[in-house]
């Protein structure tokens, strides 16, 4: 019989989604500013 795999109750779950982390970047701020000002974004790659 194969060994039991630990249940999900003991596995730590990430508290922050990757989307929330991406919203902290400078490019997201530029996206939001460009969108609200109806202009093309000037990406920095950050």
């Amino acid at each position: 019989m194969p060994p039991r795999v630990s249940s999900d109750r003991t596995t730590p779950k990430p508290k922050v989604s990757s989307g929330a982390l991406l919203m902290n970047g400078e490019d997201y701020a530029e996206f939001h500013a460009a969108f609200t000002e109806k202009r093309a974004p000037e990406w920095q790659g950050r």
Side-chain angles (χ1 to χ4, degrees):
M1 206 158 141
R4 285 187 62 127
V5 178
S6 64
S7 68
D8 283 342
R9 289 181 280 155
T10 59
T11 306
K13 304 268 188 230
K15 301 228 182 233
V16 179
S17 70
S18 59
L21 292 174
L22 292 173
M23 285 194 272
N24 290 328
E26 292 176 26
D27 274 347
Y28 181 79
E30 173 58 19
F31 157 76
H32 188 269
F35 183 80
T36 57
E37 296 169 12
K38 296 181 180 170
R39 62 173 173 81
E42 298 173 13
W43 305 119
Q44 300 295 318
R46 297 178 184 192

